[in-house]
Amino acid sequence: MAGSDRGVDGRWAARAEIAERAVREHYLTSVFGVPGALLGLPRHPATPADHARLRWNYWWQAHLLDCLVDAQLRAPEHARARVIARLVRGIRLRNLGAWTNAYYDDIAWLGLALLRAGAATGLPVRRPVAAILARLRSGWTEHAGGGIWWRRGDLFKNVPANGPAAILFARTGAADRAAAALEWMDRTLLDARTGLLWDGVHLRPDGSVRERVEIVYTYCQGVFLGACVELSTSDLAARTIRAVDEYVAVGGVLPGQGGGDGGLFAGILARYLAQSALRLPDAEGERARALVFDSAEAAWQHRTATAAGPVFGADWTHRSPQDPRLNGDLSVQLSGWMVIEAAALLERASMTV
C-alpha cells in the first residue's frame, strides 16, 4: 500500500487547483449565448459544431458540477459559487427547462450533485431534488424482485441506476428505500466468487430474468460502495474494497475503461473509495486510502503536461499508449480531476487529525 503514507504536505490541493483550472478553461462555455448560463463542452479541442450544437451529455454535466463542488469545499470562493450557479442554470436550459430525462442513472447523478451544490453554496435546490426523487421512486418495480429501471420504458435494471439512487435516497432521509436498493443489487448482481458487482439484468415483460450482464465496471463498484458507506454497512463496504484491490486494481491503480461514458468510471470509484477511507477506520479504510493515493499519483505522473495545463489519460495505469482522441473527452478529464480531488480530500482529513 504505497499510497498509505502520502497526503500530508498540501501537494494534492495544489494539483487539484491545477486540474480544475485546466477543465474550466478548456471546457466551460456559454449555452447558446444566454447570459449567466454555462455548460461543459464534450471535448477539447472543440469543433465549431460542438459549440453550435452543444452535444448533450446530461450525466457528464452532473459530474462537472460535482467536481466544482469538490473544489468549492477545498477552497471556497464567491467566484466559483457563481460558476456553480451558472452551470446549474445551463443544465436546466439545455435540458429544455426540465430537471429529469428518461434515464434514472442520469437523474440520480444530477440529484446528488445538486444536493451537494446546495449545501456548499446555498443554491436553492429543494424543488429540483424533489422532482428527481419523485421520478426515482416511480422507477422502482417488483420486476426481478425489485430495483429501479435503467431507463423509462426499458426492460433493463442495473447497478449504475440503483447505486446512485441509493446514495441519494440515503442522503435525503429515505434510508428504507436506499437499503432496499442496496439489498437488491447485492442479491441480484453479486459475483460471489470475487465480491464484485456485475452490471445488470435484462428482463422479460413478465419480470423474469432473461440475461444477466456479467461485466465488471469500476463504476458499479463505486456506486455500490457509496451506498454501503451511506448506510453504514461496513461489512459490505469492506468486502467491496478488498475485491477492488484484488481483482480490479492494476498494481494498486484503478484502470481506465476507455473514453466516452467509460471515461468517468474510474473517477467515480475513486470518489467513493475516498468516502470509505474517511468512514472506515480499520484496515479496509486504509486499503481504500492507498487505492486513492496510488491512483491519483499514477494519473498525475501519466498526464501530458502542456502550457495550458494537464491532460489526463484515459487509463491511469498507462498499460498502453494514450490515445489523444480519448483523452480530449470531458469525461476523461473529469475523472482525472475527480481522483485528484479525492486525494486532496483525504489530505485535508490527514492534516486535521
Side-chain angles (χ1 to χ4, degrees):
M1 298 183 189
S4 59
D5 60 347
R6 293 203 293 269
V8 293
D9 59 3
R11 83 182 76 169
W12 291 109
R15 290 173 174 179
E17 181 181 355
I18 293 168
E20 176 194 2
R21 188 184 312 126
V23 170
R24 287 175 62 173
E25 289 181 1
H26 291 156
Y27 293 92
L28 281 181
T29 189
S30 64
V31 182
F32 306 135
V34 176
L38 293 173
L39 213 60
L41 288 163
R43 59 185 164 223
H44 177 78
T47 67
D50 289 329
H51 283 280
R53 292 196 299 265
L54 279 181
R55 182 162 58 86
W56 188 218
N57 300 99
Y58 177 113
W59 81 295
W60 295 15
Q61 307 300 324
H63 283 285
L64 173 57
L65 178 58
D66 235 356
C67 284
L68 285 167
V69 173
D70 289 340
Q72 186 68 0
L73 295 174
R74 167 175 46 80
E77 297 175 357
H78 292 302
R80 189 189 296 104
R82 289 194 295 272
V83 170
I84 287 171
R86 292 173 69 191
L87 177 60
V88 170
R89 185 181 183 206
I91 291 170
R92 188 180 187 189
L93 181 64
R94 181 60 183 81
N95 204 44
L96 305 179
W99 294 108
T100 60
N101 69 5
Y103 292 83
Y104 292 101
D105 54 345
D106 282 11
I107 64 173
W109 283 121
L110 184 59
L112 286 168
L114 286 170
L115 195 66
R116 296 183 71 229
T121 70
L123 195 69
V125 299
R126 183 184 61 81
R127 291 181 65 181
V129 171
I132 288 168
L133 287 168
R135 176 65 64 83
L136 290 173
R137 287 193 295 269
S138 74
W140 179 280
T141 73
E142 292 306 314
H143 296 76
I148 293 170
W149 297 107
W150 167 59
R151 180 174 60 183
R152 298 183 89 186
D154 210 314
L155 288 173
F156 186 56
K157 292 186 175 184
N158 61 3
V159 173
N162 283 271
I167 298 169
L168 183 58
F169 282 140
R171 290 181 181 177
T172 53
D176 288 349
R177 288 185 179 274
L182 180 67
E183 190 276 333
W184 180 83
M185 290 184 286
D186 190 50
R187 170 169 43 85
T188 309
L189 290 166
L190 174 68
D191 178 356
R193 183 184 68 84
T194 64
L196 297 169
L197 275 292
W198 289 316
D199 181 44
V201 285
H202 291 283
L203 306 179
R204 300 183 181 90
D206 66 2
S208 60
V209 174
R210 176 172 62 82
E211 179 187 12
R212 183 173 281 103
V213 181
E214 296 183 358
I215 299 175
V216 171
Y217 292 121
T218 44
Y219 177 140
C220 295
Q221 317 320 309
V223 294
F224 183 80
L225 180 58
C228 292
V229 169
E230 293 299 327
L231 290 166
S232 300
T233 53
S234 56
D235 55 335
L236 297 185
R239 183 192 72 194
T240 305
I241 294 166
R242 289 193 299 270
V244 166
D245 196 17
E246 183 173 355
Y247 296 105
V248 176
V250 179
V253 175
L254 303 179
Q257 292 186 296
D261 285 346
L264 280 166
F265 290 7
I268 289 169
L269 177 51
R271 176 182 294 282
Y272 292 106
L273 282 166
Q275 292 298 314
S276 301
L278 291 175
R279 303 196 204 184
L280 295 177
D282 53 14
E284 303 312 329
E286 190 63 23
R287 191 190 299 257
R289 186 174 186 271
L291 285 165
V292 171
F293 279 122
D294 287 346
S295 296
E297 186 66 34
W300 186 258
Q301 294 302 327
H302 293 150
R303 78 197 186 283
T304 299
T306 74
V311 177
F312 295 107
D315 189 340
W316 305 332
T317 67
H318 212 208
R319 291 177 295 179
S320 58
Q322 299 291 309
D323 185 341
R325 294 170 298 178
L326 300 181
N327 297 351
D329 285 353
L330 172 62
S331 57
V332 172
Q333 297 313 304
L334 288 178
S335 203
W337 179 10
M338 211 179 302
V339 72
I340 302 298
E341 290 283 6
L345 171 64
L346 296 182
E347 177 180 66
R348 292 198 301 279
S350 296
M351 295 171 75
T352 57
V353 171

